[in-house]
Amino acid sequence: MDLSAYQLEGFYDELFAKPDQPNPGAELLIEKIKSLSEEDLISKQKAAEIMLLQMGITFAVYGNEAGAEKIFPFDIIPRIVDGKEWSQIEAGLKQRIFALNAFIDDVYHDKKILKDRVVPEDVVFSSKTFRRECEGFSPPKNIWCHVTGTDLVRDSDGAFYVLEDNLRCPSGVSYVLENRQVLKRTFPQVFDASHVRPVDDYPNRLLDTLEYLVPEHIVSPVIGVLTPGTYNSAYFEHSFLARQMGVELVEGQDLVVHDGFVHMRTTKGLEKIDVLYRRMDDDFIDPLAFRSDSVLGVPGLMEVYKAGRLAMANAPGTGVADDKVIYAYVPKIIKYYTGEDPILPNVPTYICSDPKEQEYVLKNLDKLVVKAANESGGYGMLIGPHASAAEREKFAGLIKQNPRNYMAQPTLALSRTPTIIDRAIEGRHVDLRPYILYGKDIYVLPGGLTRVALRKNSLVVNSSQGGGSKDTWVVDAGE
Amino acid sequence: MLSRVANAVYWICRYVERAENVARFISVNLNLLLDTPLDARLQWEPMIAITGDQKAFQVLHREYSQKNVVHFLTFERSNPNSIISCLQAARENARSVREVISSEMWEQLNRFYIELKEAEHSGFAHNDPQKFFLMIKMRSHMFSGLLYSTMSHGEAWHFARMGMMIERADKVSRILDVKYFMLLPKPDAVGSPHDNIQWAAVLKSASAHDMYRKIFHRITPVQVAGFLIFDANFPRSVRHAVNNAFESLGKITGSTNGDARSGAEKHLGRLLADLNYSDIQEVMEAGLHEYLDALQGRLNHIGLEISSAFFRPAPLEAAAQPRSDLQFFSEQNQTMPKETAK
């Protein structure tokens, strides 16, 4: 495959320092791709897709026929991160998650950070994901955010920035593990020779994290992954994680509160469950505590949880740190709880509830990305430079109507990486979502999910908006 | 294990077995057609009449041609018992218990379904039906092979096997019932070469021809019926299937012989005893059709009792509504779309 025509077009590239000059760590891969014929490369891509479909690694598509599934588009050319650079990311994420957890614990207890006016009180209390029900409650070991997926992007200067924190039910880690399985078979020799850090340990680490929540007197705890069911878009992942950990996969209908504990309905009667890794939002877990119209949850679950007879990951209430306006304060939050400067910077953020910043945002809508505070999956978002005048006007109205719910950021020139498009290789924009587990200590999965915007010039990497994924190799070059 | 999971595993196997039996059901007709001078229309109409689906069929097709009937029983999604509907239901159930069955089983079932979907558009089933239905049978055999050799023989496995065996006992009895009903009304033809061919086709449809020949040498309707109901060793006989189902049920409840803990165990045990201690002569005296009809009723009842003993707590329930006495299909579970949440 001839790569001489591959152009960087002024963007930071994940595999190339200059045209035809691979980054350290990527040389072997580039050499391999060059040695393949176009036909070979395309057939490797096809083989990988067939493998994913046959393994049933699919996601359900909303609004389609019931149970319709697609494979998450996958590109076989991995994204490579140098080991030294990764160490920085890892340290930055550990620092950030530690601080966010301290923040959540604080806002539900003493509220010191609010009293010290580091974060405005009303921003926290007006957050949709702030749960009054959790005030005064202490989860086991005071850990709230057991599993986090933090989205990172690289700007044209080559530096990594935190784009957002996903502390509620971040998904995608199963694709990291399965993509790796597929790529090992796609580029076996290159993989072998590149010293890629392994990701396969994740399910064990997750299990350790969940077991850590159980009081010591329970010797063999019963653990379950709580899923909304087979029609949820991330169902594959719920099932995958339960299988990898060897724990139960339960739906709301499988659980019942009885005698002050949560039980599973089994063929031999009721059986107590000790820990739930729940993969549904707070809103749905308990119709008695939150949304009463939820048919997915378990009535009475929260009461058992608050009595300490059931542990849950992530803890209800964690979402407060997921609010995109609170995000703007995270650098201050880090400084407040650790005394350190943030290792990983935020993307500069304008808060629309601040009159001055709002004015700037409204004047510069054509240059900014606007996000709603509590949306995810690329919904409720405006990308100014790519939007029509009418769309911008609509968002200007929304911002004026409910300024608390919006923030804006400059449009970044996201880094790109070589990607197979039709039968050629072209640069496409990517982000990176590493996964962080908070148990006995904080663990960062080396690599994470690289999401790629397959449409030319697109900056939206979400799977619901035409994004795909890639394997991410953390490579210790020169070893 | 979770009731919902036990229910799903049980139904995966029932649906795969059901799909296989529809393929066998069509195969036997195709076999017969090769050897009989009958009007093709007369051969295909009863296939639909017997399943009680005439109305649904007539909404879609005017003519009881081979093409229409085969399509209705194989690819028609509005027919809950078509092969593709069964496979889809099996796969949906499997998707909800992927952490319980082996990955090999899931991948095979998934591939089976994808292949079937492709065949829907390729014309394979109509251009080379013998080969196509053989393929369905072989895929189903592969699935049960994987069930036996890649999944631990624990509680979930016994639910799986019990589902498969109860479905098999039911369908073998129905194939026999249907064929007896179709083939016997002409007393003068009994014993003619034509008749022998027909009964050989029935045996072949149950993969029983060779094993039957080893015991009886010659084909007679009564002996064929006796073999398919009472043979102790043939894996598709009703008695053998009921025996396996009983064994699995005992493993699930942990009861020892003669110590029945639920209605399901009591009735399954009684049915097995009847199969063990009677023979085809007794059956023929009472009338084969009456006997098979009662047998199907008992199996249906046992299915309901299994459901209430083990699955009832979960809303995903089996609903059995017998429609006519010559009905090919009995219970099914419902995989209802549930509300989704992000």
Side-chain angles (χ1 to χ4, degrees):
Chain A
M1 192 85 193
D2 183 17
L3 282 169
S4 59
Y6 183 77
Q7 289 301 322
L8 308 191
E9 298 174 302
F11 291 103
Y12 186 93
D13 197 277
E14 297 291 342
L15 295 189
F16 286 98
K18 284 185 214 152
D20 222 19
Q21 188 196 321
N23 280 330
E27 297 97 338
L28 286 171
L29 176 72
I30 297 300
E31 210 175 294
K32 176 73 189 175
I33 292 174
K34 281 182 177 170
S35 77
L36 293 170
S37 69
E38 184 185 310
E39 222 37 70
D40 286 345
L41 189 71
I42 301 302
S43 71
K44 274 179 185 292
Q45 172 70 30
K46 288 267 172 325
E49 285 168 8
I50 289 170
M51 209 186 297
L52 290 167
L53 186 64
Q54 291 193 341
M55 286 154 93
I57 304 169
T58 52
F59 66 94
V61 188
Y62 288 110
N64 235 312
E65 62 168 303
E69 293 153 62
K70 278 192 192 165
I71 64 165
F72 188 14
F74 173 70
D75 183 77
I76 56 169
I77 303 178
R79 183 248 195 99
I80 293 177
V81 183
D82 179 64
K84 286 191 210 76
E85 196 166 26
W86 181 257
S87 305
Q88 275 298 102
I89 295 176
E90 192 175 354
L93 289 170
K94 284 183 177 175
Q95 180 198 46
R96 190 173 180 100
I97 298 306
F98 173 83
L100 285 173
N101 190 69
F103 169 73
I104 301 166
D105 204 52
D106 191 16
V107 298
Y108 289 119
H109 290 93
D110 302 337
K111 304 182 173 52
K112 284 189 201 129
I113 197 166
L114 309 182
K115 288 172 189 156
D116 290 339
R117 297 178 189 281
V118 176
V119 177
E121 203 178 76
D122 60 319
V123 169
V124 172
F125 295 149
S126 64
S127 171
K128 275 188 214 163
T129 43
F130 177 76
R131 304 286 177 195
R132 296 247 168 233
E133 296 83 350
C134 299
E135 280 192 287
F137 176 73
S138 295
K141 317 275 198 298
N142 295 320
I143 303 171
W144 295 75
C145 50
H146 312 88
V147 185
T148 310
T150 298
D151 290 345
L152 304 177
V153 291
R154 217 201 272 262
D155 197 8
S156 47
D157 58 1
F160 275 105
Y161 293 85
V162 176
L163 188 65
E164 58 186 59
D165 304 285
N166 299 285
L167 296 98
R168 284 175 287 179
C169 306
S171 62
V173 74
S174 59
Y175 298 114
V176 176
L177 304 179
E178 293 287 32
N179 287 354
R180 178 60 56 85
Q181 291 304 318
V182 171
L183 260 225
K184 274 187 193 168
R185 287 187 246 177
T186 309
F187 295 116
Q189 289 99 347
V190 181
F191 185 85
D192 236 25
S194 293
H195 304 283
V196 181
R197 293 197 201 168
V199 294
D200 319 286
D201 202 27
Y202 183 84
N204 284 333
R205 298 274 188 161
L206 178 59
L207 186 60
D208 290 345
T209 306
L210 297 172
E211 280 177 344
Y212 185 61
L213 303 178
V214 179
E216 271 165 34
H217 68 268
I218 299 177
V219 185
S220 40
V222 178
I223 298 174
V225 176
L226 176 61
T227 175
T230 52
Y231 292 92
N232 184 271
S233 61
Y235 179 76
F236 163 74
E237 177 157 309
H238 308 158
S239 152
F240 176 86
L241 291 173
R243 203 163 62 236
Q244 294 291 315
M245 293 190 286
V247 304
E248 299 285 350
L249 178 68
V250 294
E251 296 178 14
Q253 54 164 324
D254 296 327
L255 300 178
V256 61
V257 172
H258 180 70
D259 276 352
F261 288 91
V262 177
H263 298 265
M264 302 184 291
R265 304 177 203 263
T266 79
T267 54
K268 298 197 163 61
L270 298 181
E271 188 188 335
K272 184 167 83 83
I273 192 161
D274 303 298
V275 186
L276 281 178
Y277 175 35
R278 48 102 180 195
R279 293 294 300 259
M280 50 174 99
D281 269 357
D282 292 355
D283 279 333
F284 296 99
I285 54 175
D286 181 354
L288 299 182
F290 303 116
R291 271 177 63 167
S292 58
D293 61 340
S294 167
V295 296
L296 300 167
V298 185
L301 188 76
M302 275 303 281
E303 217 183 294
V304 179
Y305 171 73
K306 284 168 81 176
R309 298 198 192 105
L310 170 79
M312 257 194 281
N314 289 352
T318 301
V320 66
D322 192 299
D323 186 293
K324 290 189 177 63
V325 173
I326 287 176
Y327 157 90
Y329 296 93
V330 175
K332 289 179 184 165
I333 290 172
I334 292 173
K335 183 88 185 174
Y336 185 81
Y337 294 107
T338 65
E340 302 162 5
D341 287 322
I343 300 170
L344 283 171
N346 260 18
V347 176
T349 301
Y350 306 97
I351 297 167
C352 297
S353 52
D354 180 306
K356 261 197 202 150
E357 297 195 358
Q358 186 189 126
E359 195 187 321
Y360 176 83
V361 170
L362 291 174
K363 270 193 192 145
N364 293 283
L365 273 181
D366 57 334
K367 300 183 191 77
L368 299 171
V369 175
V370 182
K371 291 180 188 172
N374 287 301
E375 298 285 342
S376 60
Y379 296 102
M381 191 167 143
L382 174 86
I383 300 182
H386 298 174
S388 65
E391 286 170 304
R392 287 201 290 266
E393 203 155 303
K394 187 186 128 201
F395 263 78
L398 289 170
I399 291 169
K400 282 185 222 158
Q401 220 173 56
N402 186 3
R404 162 62 182 87
N405 199 38
Y406 291 92
M407 61 86 139
Q409 296 169 333
T411 312
L412 303 181
L414 298 192
S415 63
R416 301 199 317 185
T417 196
T419 305
I420 300 176
I421 303 291
D422 295 327
R423 302 180 69 85
I425 293 180
E426 295 178 17
R428 285 293 184 269
H429 296 294
V430 288
D431 77 350
L432 175 61
R433 177 182 284 186
Y435 294 87
I436 307 104
L437 297 174
Y438 196 152
K440 205 166 184 173
D441 40 33
I442 299 178
Y443 165 78
V444 182
L445 179 69
L449 185 66
T450 290
R451 296 184 298 177
V452 51
L454 295 170
R455 282 198 283 265
K456 196 169 174 68
N457 299 326
S458 167
L459 295 170
V460 188
V461 295
N462 302 82
S463 57
S464 47
Q465 319 262 326
S469 78
K470 282 168 168 282
D471 192 14
T472 311
W473 292 3
V474 175
V475 167
D476 294 305
E479 273 175 36
Chain B
M1 65 187 301
L2 291 176
S3 296
R4 175 180 55 81
V5 170
N7 188 19
V9 171
Y10 173 86
W11 279 102
I12 293 167
C13 290
R14 280 200 79 153
Y15 277 127
V16 171
E17 182 71 23
R18 187 171 295 179
E20 180 188 329
N21 280 291
V22 175
R24 289 177 175 280
F25 192 53
I26 298 172
S27 280
V28 66
N29 227 34
L30 290 166
N31 273 333
L32 286 172
L33 271 177
L34 295 176
D35 298 310
T36 50
L38 277 177
D39 178 354
R41 200 194 106 89
L42 297 176
Q43 283 289 77
W44 290 104
E45 190 173 351
M47 302 273 291
I48 303 294
I50 275 147
T51 61
D53 284 326
Q54 284 130 309
K55 266 193 195 146
F57 183 88
Q58 281 162 2
V59 169
L60 297 161
H61 306 284
R62 232 187 282 160
E63 209 188 325
Y64 286 93
S65 62
Q66 174 174 332
K67 189 162 185 264
N68 288 346
V69 172
V70 166
H71 184 270
F72 184 79
L73 293 176
T74 309
F75 296 118
E76 183 52 57
R77 281 168 195 276
S78 67
N79 172 9
N81 293 306
S82 68
I83 294 176
I84 202 156
S85 296
C86 288
L87 253 297
Q88 191 182 5
R91 180 170 170 277
E92 273 309 299
N93 277 298
R95 230 158 73 77
S96 72
V97 292
R98 278 182 68 173
E99 75 290 357
V100 175
I101 60 177
S102 70
S103 349
E104 283 89 347
M105 285 165 70
W106 159 255
E107 281 172 28
Q108 200 266 337
L109 197 53
N110 191 37
R111 220 171 302 145
F112 189 0
Y113 177 69
I114 292 170
E115 243 177 342
L116 202 59
K117 258 174 64 166
E118 284 166 3
E120 192 177 358
H121 304 292
S122 72
F124 180 13
H126 298 294
N127 300 336
D128 195 347
Q130 293 287 1
K131 194 169 163 195
F132 175 78
F133 291 106
L134 181 66
M135 187 253 327
I136 304 272
K137 271 192 281 186
M138 288 334 245
R139 292 292 176 276
S140 166
H141 287 173
M142 187 164 174
F143 180 79
S144 50
L146 290 169
L147 171 70
Y148 269 78
S149 53
T150 65
M151 184 175 171
S152 296
H153 291 201
E155 192 183 356
W157 186 85
H158 282 291
F159 272 106
R161 188 173 72 154
M162 186 164 67
M164 184 174 279
M165 290 302 145
I166 287 179
E167 183 72 21
R168 181 176 298 174
D170 184 70
K171 291 301 167 282
V172 169
S173 82
R174 283 169 200 268
I175 289 180
L176 188 60
D177 201 6
V178 165
K179 286 299 150 190
Y180 213 84
F181 177 77
M182 279 167 68
L183 297 180
L184 272 194
K186 305 169 284 294
D188 52 321
V190 173
S192 71
H194 176 218
D195 194 48
N196 284 349
I197 288 168
Q198 299 242 9
W199 283 100
V202 173
L203 282 171
K204 279 181 190 152
S205 82
S207 304
H209 186 255
D210 298 348
M211 299 301 131
Y212 172 90
R213 286 280 195 188
K214 283 186 206 308
I215 298 177
F216 295 109
H217 317 298
R218 272 180 203 84
I219 290 176
T220 71
V222 171
Q223 282 169 338
V224 169
F227 185 78
L228 289 178
I229 300 171
F230 291 110
D231 192 83
N233 302 315
F234 181 64
R236 303 195 68 82
S237 79
V238 174
R239 178 174 163 197
H240 194 269
V242 168
N243 188 34
N244 279 347
F246 183 70
E247 210 178 273
S248 281
L249 184 56
K251 288 273 184 324
I252 290 164
T253 59
S255 346
T256 45
N257 258 350
D259 169 26
R261 296 191 184 169
S262 65
E265 266 181 300
K266 232 189 277 179
H267 291 115
L268 196 55
R270 235 179 258 170
L271 176 60
L272 179 61
D274 284 349
L275 287 162
N276 285 342
Y277 298 110
S278 60
D279 57 34
I280 192 67
Q281 258 59 50
E282 276 179 43
V283 168
M284 296 313 283
E285 279 162 28
L288 181 65
H289 170 65
E290 288 71 17
Y291 176 82
L292 292 173
D293 198 37
L295 176 71
Q296 287 150 22
R298 289 171 80 176
L299 285 167
N300 225 345
H301 185 63
I302 289 163
L304 289 176
E305 282 178 325
I306 288 171
S307 157
S308 73
F310 303 107
F311 313 145
R312 179 159 289 171
L316 269 181
E317 248 181 62
Q321 290 154 339
R323 285 179 300 192
S324 72
D325 63 344
L326 256 182
Q327 194 195 347
F328 189 62
F329 303 106
S330 50
E331 305 167 74
Q332 30 189 298
N333 84 334
Q334 292 158 343
T335 33
M336 297 293 291
K338 277 163 283 176
E339 191 188 314
T340 54
K342 268 188 282 175

